[in-house]
Amino acid sequence: MALNKEQIAKRIAQELQDGFYVNLGIGIPTLVANYIPEGVNVVLQSENGLLGMGPFPFAGEEDADLINAGKQTITTLPGSAFFDSAMSFGMIRAGKVDLTVLGAMEVSENGDIANWKIPKKMVKGMGGAMDLVAAAKNIIVAMQHTNPKGESKLLPACSLPLTGVNCVRKIVSDLGVFDVTPDGFVCIEYAPGVTIDEIKAKTAGKLTISPNVKEMAV
Amino acid sequence: MNKVVANADEAVRDIPSGAMLMLGGFGLCGIPENCIASLVKKGVDNLTCISNNAGVDGFGIGLLLENKQVKKMISSYVGENAEFERQLLSGELEVELVPQGTLATRCMATGYGMPAVFLQAGYGTEVAEGKEVREFNGKQYLMEMAFDSDFAIVKAWKGDKMGNLVFKDTARNFNPLMAMAGKITIAEVEELVEPGELDPNYIHTPGIYVHRIFQGKDYEKRIEQRTVRQR
């Protein structure tokens, strides 16, 4: 069985290390915060100007001045800090943020990512995505392996306008975990119940199966 | 030195049609609600607005859009506004989409007196079209220009009559950067106090950047995504 969104988030949470500063994008990446492993302390960065983002507030305690990058009401944790938008992207650009998790519409075998625009259909803007993918030293993409039509989103080359070039290093999809290497996608884990043949059939870009491939633990 | 004006109408009195304005805020968080209302009332048009977002239908910059006062938006994300999308697709409105960090840093460069900055964001994408590319340490950077903005309009939590500003929580966002970047900077604050009442150690924007200041009123502070957890 392919993974659901919660399971994708849970698998990505296994990548978190104690002391990491982490930026989580909108959608599946946000769910990663629910599965931070016991004993691992991470600080969540919200690019609108906060380090130390906490959970949603209790009803009645929402504050319009305290939101995350998805414009949701949030809270702070002890030790948090506010800053302006230039400093926020400055710390991202300077490599201070250890891990960025974001969604994608397409990823190419050389690590290009497209996730901001569908010509003539969706013109919402890139927000902070281009800054994040250009600068973060460690980017994990959380995505469905195929689009609603069943077509692969792991491609030889992206067909949609790019967000960044040669920047994605790892993908966690509903079918498995993939490193993005100079040699294309390398499958290192498969989801429980998903076959290697299914992964091959649904991956349009260059794919190799790691000799050490194993079942994902989720 | 007298920077204090009576209200938003007086603060925006000389903003003409065709002006280039910076407007602080992220989403609806930390937007200059009073000045936007006065600009709507004043009816100036052909505005170029530099703002991370374009408000929502019926609030924030959305009010200026509905009133057909905006010629061009320079923003990073405009996905919350149906009227914006309609005007864009019909060709009534120009838009320059800028990566959010690039937008913030271009505002910063303006306020720091730097003509341009070199940034990686957008290299290899359509954002790079027409821009000079320079290589530093084996990596490619786009040359991004500072802005030439006539006015900056920001919203702060507290301010004193010298123009010193303090922002609250994530309502800080683009506000201090834009405050530095206006040829004329207008600050509306929730609480206007006498000089000396704000601790100089905790000033976010020194008053030198602020030309006009007033205490705003009737802040609505709309929440875009009200998310809560159960007790």
Side-chain angles (χ1 to χ4, degrees), chain A residues 23 28 64 92 102-104 123 138 145-146 159 184 188 211:
Chain A
N23 181 291
I28 299 175
I92 290 165
L102 72 176
V123 195
N138 191 3
H145 209 92
T146 55
S159 64
I188 56 172

Side-chain angles (χ1 to χ4, degrees), chain A:
Chain A
M1 276 294 286
L3 302 184
N4 60 32
K5 290 177 181 181
E6 299 285 339
Q7 289 170 308
I8 293 174
K10 207 170 164 186
R11 174 59 189 82
I12 290 172
Q14 295 170 18
E15 302 288 321
L16 301 174
Q17 293 175 25
D18 194 42
F20 263 18
Y21 290 91
V22 181
N23 181 291
L24 301 176
I26 295 163
I28 299 175
T30 306
L31 302 173
V32 173
N34 299 335
Y35 299 102
I36 298 169
E38 192 97 6
V40 172
N41 287 302
V42 301
V43 177
L44 298 180
Q45 200 248 19
S46 190
E47 67 264 26
N48 56 321
L50 169 63
L51 277 168
M53 178 166 53
F56 296 147
F58 294 119
E61 294 178 5
E62 313 91 293
D63 181 349
D65 290 329
L66 183 49
I67 63 170
N68 65 16
K71 284 113 183 173
Q72 297 170 312
T73 47
I74 48 160
T75 57
T76 56
L77 294 173
S80 64
F82 296 113
F83 34 84
D84 67 53
S85 301
M87 184 177 282
S88 181
F89 285 94
M91 65 182 69
I92 290 165
R93 205 179 284 130
K96 306 297 181 188
V97 174
D98 298 288
L99 175 65
T100 292
V101 183
L102 72 176
M105 299 193 274
E106 296 176 346
V107 176
S108 76
E109 62 191 30
N110 67 342
D112 295 352
I113 178 171
N115 71 352
W116 74 281
K117 182 178 181 181
I118 302 172
K120 296 195 171 71
K121 232 172 150 185
M122 185 187 90
V123 195
K124 292 179 185 299
M126 67 292 280
M130 284 191 181
D131 310 273
L132 282 160
V133 301
K137 51 188 169 187
N138 191 3
I139 298 173
I140 299 180
V141 166
M143 66 192 294
Q144 303 296 331
H145 209 92
T146 55
N147 66 21
K149 287 187 213 158
E151 297 160 341
S152 180
K153 293 164 68 174
L154 281 67
L155 301 168
C158 294
S159 64
L160 293 169
L162 295 179
T163 308
V165 293
N166 190 17
C167 52
V168 178
R169 294 288 162 264
K170 186 169 276 199
I171 298 167
V172 178
S173 81
D174 52 331
L175 301 186
V177 182
F178 303 84
D179 284 335
V180 184
T181 73
D183 209 26
F185 302 114
V186 177
C187 178
I188 56 172
E189 294 179 22
Y190 52 88
V194 169
T195 64
I196 296 294
D197 282 345
E198 180 179 357
I199 288 172
K200 285 181 176 168
K202 291 182 174 172
T203 305
K206 185 178 179 192
L207 174 72
T208 47
I209 308 298
S210 165
N212 303 316
V213 70
K214 59 178 184 183
E215 186 174 286
M216 199 188 287
V218 282

Side-chain angles (χ1 to χ4, degrees), chain B residues 88-186:
Chain B
L88 181 63
L89 293 172
S90 71
E92 293 165 61
L93 181 69
E94 287 174 60
V95 64
E96 179 184 342
L97 290 169
V98 180
Q100 194 175 130
T102 298
L103 184 67
T105 308
R106 288 173 67 189
C107 292
M108 190 196 79
T110 312
Y112 275 68
M114 303 187 296
V117 286
F118 291 93
L119 304 173
Q120 277 183 287
Y123 172 73
T125 76
E126 63 184 51
V127 164
E129 283 167 20
K131 288 178 185 161
E132 186 176 334
V133 176
R134 287 278 295 272
E135 185 176 310
F136 297 94
N137 302 319
K139 290 180 181 161
Q140 308 299 318
Y141 294 77
L142 304 180
M143 185 166 79
E144 298 282 2
M145 308 304 289
F147 289 111
D148 188 23
S149 42
D150 304 310
F151 292 86
I153 305 176
V154 303
K155 153 80 194 328
W157 178 32
K158 294 179 182 177
D160 69 21
K161 292 179 176 176
M162 303 279 286
N164 296 301
L165 303 177
V166 177
F167 303 92
K168 182 167 170 283
D169 297 2
T170 55
R172 191 183 315 186
N173 56 64
F174 283 82
N175 280 301
L177 305 163
M178 291 180 170
M180 291 193 303
K183 290 194 188 82
I184 293 180
T185 290
I186 298 165

